[in-house]
Amino acid sequence: MIINLQELIALLPFLVLLLAVVIVIISISYNRNHFFVAFLSVFSLIVSLFSLYFLISIVPINITSLFHITRRSILYISMIIISSIATCVFAYPWLLKYAFNKEEFYLLTLLSTLGAIFLTVSNHMSSVFINIELMSLPIFGLIAYSNIQKYSLEASLKYLILSGVSSSFLLLGISWVYAISGDLSLLCINQIFSDLSNSEKIMVLFGIIMILMSFFFKLSLVPFHLWIADIYQGTPASVLSFFSVSGKIAIFSLLLYFFSYFSILDHKIIFLILSLISFFSILFGNLMAIFQNNIKRFFGYSSISQLGYLLITLLLSKNEYFFSLQTSGIFLFNYLFANIAYFGVINLFSSAYNHDMDSIHLYKGLFWSQPLLATIVTIILLSLAGIPITLGFFGKFCIFSIVIKNHFWALSFSFLIGTVLGLYGYLRLIINMYLNPSEELFFNNIKISRFWLYTPSGILIFISGIILLVLGIYPNLLINLINLAQ
């Protein structure tokens, strides 16, 4: 295997992170220094993000048979790296008060980020499996990192067991497809269908369904969602800004790449399965969210509905791939910055109190002590609800246009009912912040310094909230960026 200069440049973002991982390991072995490891991790992620610029002129490019890098890949890799930067920034003040080893947190984050961005460009089933495991295994440690926190170890153990089951489905599906095709390339599946008998097609379809089941577990879609609320509740807020975004973006980008070649409209069984999963995910996620009094559990169920909406973009034919890419890009950017900002706010409060502030009633009357923070949270929740002048509105509007244009009437029903239920749930959180606080809660909120905006975490929260508002008013900025990825 010989890698030329262009392929080496294409690997630059990955090599930067690999070098950072090696240096962090050496630093931990030789002399622990929390600030150095944290700074190195954030710096390497920023360098990796900016190095994506050098890939624009040389993509699309194949790196051996394992990886295929396109402009679309650059878009999704940038989202994953941004979520990783946010996690490292949010984790630093929290880890300062952590009594045990701190530096391994950044090592686990970098390793999981590597797995996620490699998964985004995977073109081979073997690399898909390896990178899903590389992405998932460090997350077990990140979830359990705050082992003194209630439910943390339980959440990690549940995710470990269920993720193992998910991996077994993935391997089973890959083996069924390979048994018929004799090839592990992702694109071989669509190419061999014309040459197969009906019995062989059924076997390949069974393998594809097994693979999709594994992916749907990672995306926490109905009926593979049972783990989501417990694991969100037990995971530290700083980790959730990464866990809730990076893996889902990586898996979804892989699905979008696969279905750009595999015409879903030609396979009624898979089309029906995806439609039903989207239908029930939208309804169930929004319905369960409105009954939650724990913010993390609320966002866990909310994420089910958000991914249910996003799944609709996969139901288009290959001819409408670019519109699907544009819609999913808008929706994922909204999901990325909303999760970063909101879990950043929870982490801000949790760091101040030295324990998780994840109960909704603890934020009652937040506006009267922290008006700017409450305003940002309001923008975030309105954007997730899909209210106009926020980025979330354009994401949902594009998805609804897909539903109407293609006459997905059953999905239009779930879309409308789910949107109304979701709006009720988000408004419940918003109104809670503007109620009169009890005296105890008011003085507790004062514990958050009014200078929070001048901290790295505060700057990140503020910028994320403003991005949702600015791109909601001027969406062409984002649309032009996404069009460059086509």
Side-chain angles (χ1 to χ4, degrees):
M1 180 183 68
I2 300 176
I3 296 180
N4 58 37
L5 181 60
Q6 276 197 334
E7 292 175 338
L8 198 61
I9 294 172
L11 286 172
L12 188 58
F14 308 91
L15 295 175
V16 169
L17 292 184
L18 278 170
L19 179 62
V21 166
V22 172
I23 296 174
V24 168
I25 292 173
I26 294 172
S27 174
I28 292 172
S29 304
Y30 178 69
N31 182 26
R32 290 181 178 273
N33 187 317
H34 180 210
F35 175 78
F36 171 74
V37 171
F39 176 79
L40 174 66
S41 300
V42 174
F43 179 75
S44 63
L45 286 166
I46 293 173
V47 171
S48 181
L49 180 63
F50 281 101
S51 68
L52 292 171
Y53 174 79
F54 298 105
L55 275 63
I56 295 174
S57 59
I58 61 174
V59 294
I61 186 171
N62 286 318
I63 302 175
T64 69
S65 61
L66 297 179
F67 305 110
H68 177 66
I69 304 178
T70 63
R71 290 193 174 189
R72 172 198 58 84
S73 308
I74 296 173
L75 179 70
Y76 293 116
I77 289 172
S78 64
M79 293 189 211
I80 293 168
I81 293 177
I82 289 170
S83 71
S84 304
I85 293 171
T87 294
C88 293
V89 170
F90 293 151
Y92 184 77
W94 169 62
L95 289 171
L96 285 175
K97 303 174 184 178
Y98 188 67
F100 306 103
N101 294 337
K102 305 174 177 62
E103 294 79 11
E104 283 84 349
F105 182 96
Y106 304 97
L107 177 61
L108 293 172
T109 303
L110 290 174
L111 286 171
S112 186
T113 303
L114 263 176
I117 62 176
F118 270 123
L119 181 61
T120 303
V121 299
S122 291
N123 193 36
H124 200 266
M125 292 185 192
S126 61
S127 64
V128 168
F129 177 75
I130 291 170
N131 289 308
I132 281 181
E133 296 309 303
L134 178 58
M135 177 183 72
S136 301
L137 289 174
I139 288 177
F140 305 147
L142 290 173
I143 293 173
Y145 214 83
S146 181
N147 51 16
I148 57 173
Q149 178 182 312
K150 193 176 181 182
Y151 305 122
S152 182
L153 292 176
E154 177 189 342
S156 181
L157 182 61
K158 283 182 178 178
Y159 190 65
L160 172 63
I161 295 170
L162 293 172
S163 189
V165 174
S166 167
S167 297
S168 67
F169 277 111
L170 179 58
L171 281 176
L172 178 63
I174 291 173
S175 63
W176 275 81
V177 173
Y178 180 71
I180 301 300
S181 66
D183 193 346
L184 288 175
S185 171
L186 286 179
L187 304 186
C188 76
I189 299 174
N190 194 45
Q191 296 168 357
I192 64 171
F193 254 95
S194 58
D195 302 325
L196 296 179
S197 64
N198 288 334
S199 59
E200 289 175 327
K201 286 181 180 179
I202 292 173
M203 292 179 67
V204 173
L205 283 173
F206 177 78
I208 293 173
I209 291 170
M210 291 295 102
I211 293 171
L212 290 178
M213 286 174 64
S214 175
F215 290 166
F216 292 154
F217 169 84
K218 298 294 184 182
L219 295 174
S220 66
L221 292 163
V222 173
F224 312 100
H225 66 282
L226 297 177
W227 58 274
I228 189 76
D230 292 340
I231 291 173
Y232 265 58
Q233 185 176 0
T235 304
S238 56
V239 176
L240 276 175
S241 61
F242 175 77
F243 173 64
S244 64
V245 173
S246 61
K248 293 175 182 178
I249 289 177
I251 293 290
F252 184 80
S253 68
L254 186 66
L255 284 172
L256 193 63
Y257 172 62
F258 175 70
F259 284 119
S260 67
Y261 292 94
F262 183 83
S263 181
I264 191 171
L265 295 179
D266 296 336
H267 305 283
K268 302 300 182 184
I269 295 175
I270 295 180
F271 179 83
L272 179 62
I273 290 172
L274 291 181
S275 299
L276 288 173
I277 289 175
S278 177
F279 180 91
F280 288 109
S281 295
I282 292 171
L283 289 179
F284 181 85
N286 283 309
L287 182 63
M288 290 300 296
I290 64 178
F291 296 108
Q292 305 305 312
N293 291 316
N294 183 290
I295 291 179
K296 290 181 180 178
R297 294 181 72 90
F298 175 90
F299 271 89
Y301 284 115
S302 174
S303 71
I304 297 174
S305 64
Q306 296 290 333
L307 270 296
Y309 293 124
L310 192 59
L311 198 62
I312 295 174
T313 61
L314 297 179
L315 301 177
L316 298 179
S317 66
K318 292 189 292 183
N319 298 331
E320 298 178 279
Y321 169 69
F322 290 129
F323 184 67
S324 182
L325 177 67
Q326 187 181 82
T327 302
S328 59
I330 293 171
F331 200 89
L332 284 172
F333 262 100
N334 175 65
Y335 188 73
L336 167 68
F337 289 110
N339 275 265
I340 287 175
Y342 203 92
F343 288 122
V345 171
I346 298 174
N347 184 66
L348 196 67
F349 277 88
S350 300
S351 297
Y353 287 88
N354 208 24
H355 67 84
D356 257 13
M357 297 282 290
D358 54 7
S359 180
I360 290 175
H361 80 271
L362 294 176
Y363 296 87
K364 182 181 178 182
L366 177 65
F367 176 79
W368 306 109
S369 57
Q370 297 288 345
L372 179 58
L373 198 58
T375 303
I376 291 172
V377 174
T378 301
I379 294 171
I380 296 162
L381 294 173
L382 290 176
S383 188
L384 287 171
I387 301 300
I389 78 161
T390 62
L391 181 58
F393 169 75
F394 287 95
K396 283 195 175 180
F397 179 80
C398 290
I399 291 174
F400 191 62
S401 68
I402 291 174
V403 171
I404 298 301
K405 182 181 177 182
N406 293 275
H407 309 297
F408 299 151
W409 303 123
L411 285 175
S412 68
F413 170 80
S414 67
F415 186 98
L416 293 173
I417 299 300
T419 299
V420 172
L421 291 173
L423 182 61
Y424 173 80
Y426 293 119
L427 284 177
R428 185 166 68 97
L429 268 62
I430 292 171
I431 292 170
N432 182 66
M433 294 188 298
Y434 293 88
L435 296 175
N436 290 326
S438 64
E439 187 173 337
E440 178 186 359
L441 288 171
F442 179 80
F443 285 110
N444 280 342
N445 285 337
I446 296 296
K447 287 182 70 175
I448 301 295
S449 170
R450 291 188 179 274
F451 297 101
W452 62 268
L453 184 57
Y454 303 103
T455 64
S457 297
I459 293 171
L460 208 54
I461 292 168
F462 181 76
I463 291 174
S464 298
I466 294 301
I467 285 174
L468 294 177
L469 188 62
V470 170
L471 293 181
I473 298 171
Y474 301 106
N476 283 343
L477 296 173
L478 180 58
I479 292 171
N480 292 335
L481 176 64
I482 294 171
N483 288 339
L484 292 175
Q486 298 181 14

